[in-house]
Amino acid sequence: MPYCDGDIVEVIVTQQQIAERIAQLARQITADYQDKQLVLLGVLTGSFVFLSDLIRQLDRPCEVHFLDAASYGNNTVSSGEVTITKELDLALTGKDVLVVEDIVDSGRTVSELVRLLENYRPASVKVCTLLSKTARRERTVELNYVGFEIPDYFVVGYGLDYAQHFRNLPFVAVLDEDAAVTKLNTSE
Ligand code: IMP
Ligand code: MG
């Protein structure tokens, strides 16, 4: 992946590791949701790559929707404020909702979303995240399906961005923030 060579410090989850873990998660979800009305709810934008790979491994009917929750702006540190920028217009009553995230960091986004979703009276709300940075947790959140626990690094790739860039990398990598900031500033 030469285009990002100067911007990343190290690949921490490879393409193959992601593919293998998604196959395992999908088998588990397929088994856990037998006889349930599964609704997958992807959190935009970062989850779109993970969700699209995950659903193609699920061996059962499901609905797929997205909602938009933003807390970062263009920074690598969360503003701490979570806004739901796309209101849900969904019939979730009696359905089994699985929130799909790219990464759970402080836990603010996911805990707010779960709280909001309870208002729609679903049969259940669970959370599936590709990545989790437990060291940075500020809220207690139950994560039902976790792809990988990672250390406290700012990571990009496989859907995760820095200032809307690097989502197209096929792996998860630690960003060299100084290099990336300089490059993005000079390319504008
Ligand atoms: P939380 O509300 O602090 O748990 O943050 C969750 C959101 O912050 C995720 O859905 C990501 O969009 C973003 N985020 C957290 N850590 C990273 C990271 O290392 N790289 C890119 N985005 C991140
Ligand atoms: Mg996100």
Side-chain angles (χ1 to χ4, degrees):
M1 274 288 153
Y3 104 82
C4 70
D5 275 354
D7 304 316
I8 64 171
V9 179
E10 122 179 72
V11 174
I12 57 167
V13 191
T14 66
Q15 219 173 332
Q16 192 183 341
Q17 287 171 322
I18 294 171
E20 286 170 5
R21 187 73 186 113
I22 287 179
Q24 290 171 343
L25 290 173
R27 274 197 295 277
Q28 210 180 328
I29 294 166
T30 298
D32 292 350
Y33 285 83
Q34 294 297 324
D35 308 317
K36 297 198 168 155
Q37 292 188 69
L38 177 58
V39 177
L40 294 158
L41 218 46
V43 184
L44 290 171
T45 304
S47 72
F48 81 105
V49 180
F50 175 42
L51 180 59
S52 62
D53 280 346
L54 182 70
I55 55 170
R56 283 175 290 173
Q57 303 275 332
L58 289 180
D59 186 14
R60 57 155 304 100
C62 62
E63 288 180 42
V64 179
H65 301 276
F66 286 95
L67 58 79
D68 200 346
S71 72
Y72 267 71
N74 282 346
N75 299 317
T76 56
V77 179
S78 172
S79 63
E81 205 177 293
V82 175
T83 46
I84 310 296
T85 49
K86 181 172 173 245
E87 271 300 322
L88 274 175
D89 179 21
L90 292 176
L92 297 178
T93 310
K95 295 187 179 169
D96 293 280
V97 176
L98 185 59
V99 176
V100 180
E101 260 285 23
D102 51 358
I103 186 164
V104 177
D105 184 24
S106 70
R108 286 169 189 269
T109 309
V110 149
S111 63
E112 271 305 297
L113 282 181
V114 170
R115 195 182 59 81
L116 174 96
L117 289 169
E118 298 290 357
N119 297 331
Y120 292 77
R121 303 193 170 280
S124 66
V125 181
K126 290 190 176 177
V127 179
C128 174
T129 184
L130 177 72
L131 305 171
S132 171
K133 287 195 245 184
T134 308
R136 289 179 44 90
R137 206 74 88 239
E138 293 170 22
R139 301 279 176 87
T140 309
V141 284
E142 188 185 350
L143 303 180
N144 307 91
Y145 305 94
V146 177
F148 302 91
E149 282 290 344
I150 62 163
D152 181 11
Y153 298 131
F154 192 83
V155 293
V156 294
Y158 200 74
L160 291 105
D161 73 310
Y162 168 70
Q164 303 303 332
H165 286 259
F166 305 111
R167 294 194 197 276
N168 57 323
L169 299 179
F171 44 68
V172 176
V174 179
L175 181 72
D176 180 335
E177 291 185 38
D178 293 337
V181 169
T182 309
K183 185 172 174 179
L184 294 181
N185 285 342
T186 52
S187 69
E188 274 165 11

